[in-house]
């Protein structure tokens, strides 16, 4: 319990500059790959990566650093956060999980707007 309290009160990691650059480059690459896939297939990506997902990866990177009581989120933390994001979100989209979910016309339009 003291460990968790210490983490909450004393440890507030932020991305290092190199980790921030790595995250930026990966975000751009994922967006380009999704755009290329959409151009090749003629279909929009099932789950686009948005700024909201980018922010989630930042929070996850910082949480991974916090678990190690580090005040700096490193490139290693960013790589692990991207791996977790890819496994949980991108792979689910590629596997066709979205085909099992009923989308209303309004929901489909919202997804298109996000792209």
């Amino acid at each position: 319990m003291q460990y968790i309290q210490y983490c909450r009160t004393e440890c507030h990691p932020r991305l290092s500059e190199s980790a921030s650059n790595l995250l930026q480059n990966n975000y751009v690459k994922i967006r380009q790959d999704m755009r290329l896939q959409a151009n090749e297939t003629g279909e929009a990506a099932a789950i686009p990566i948005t700024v909201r997902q980018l922010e989630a990866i930042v929070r996850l990177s910082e949480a991974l650093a916090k678990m190690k009581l580090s005040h700096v989120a490193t490139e290693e933390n960013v790589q692990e956060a991207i791996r977790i994001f890819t496994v949980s979100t991108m792979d689910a989209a590629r596997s066709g999980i979205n085909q099992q979910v009923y989308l209303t016309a309004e929901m489909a339009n919202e997804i298109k707007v996000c792209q």
Side-chain angles (χ1 to χ4, degrees):
M1 185 68 160
Q2 290 177 339
Y3 175 79
I4 294 171
Q5 185 62 32
Y6 179 82
C7 286
R8 287 181 179 164
T9 59
E10 301 298 324
C11 194
H12 306 286
R14 295 291 175 240
L15 289 177
S16 68
E17 187 173 335
S18 61
S20 180
N21 289 335
L22 176 65
L23 182 57
Q24 178 183 2
N25 292 338
N26 274 283
Y27 176 75
V28 170
K29 183 181 180 317
I30 291 169
R31 294 284 298 189
Q32 288 173 343
D33 290 348
M34 294 183 87
R35 192 172 297 122
L36 180 63
Q37 180 184 0
N39 288 340
E40 289 175 357
T41 63
E43 296 179 5
I47 301 177
I49 183 168
T50 63
V51 174
R52 181 175 287 177
Q53 281 88 10
L54 178 63
E55 291 170 349
I57 294 170
V58 170
R59 286 191 305 275
L60 185 54
S61 300
E62 291 171 351
L64 290 165
K66 185 181 270 194
M67 286 177 21
K68 296 179 182 179
L69 299 178
S70 175
H71 294 285
V72 177
T74 64
E75 290 181 31
E76 178 183 310
N77 299 127
V78 168
Q79 289 171 341
E80 179 62 9
I82 290 169
R83 187 195 68 76
I84 291 169
F85 172 78
T86 302
V87 168
S88 65
T89 306
M90 304 300 284
D91 286 353
R94 288 186 192 115
S95 71
I97 196 168
N98 62 318
Q99 295 171 358
Q100 299 171 5
V101 177
Y102 174 73
L103 295 178
T104 64
E106 182 179 338
M107 290 165 62
N109 285 334
E110 286 183 33
I111 290 173
K112 287 180 183 177
V113 168
C114 291
Q115 298 171 3

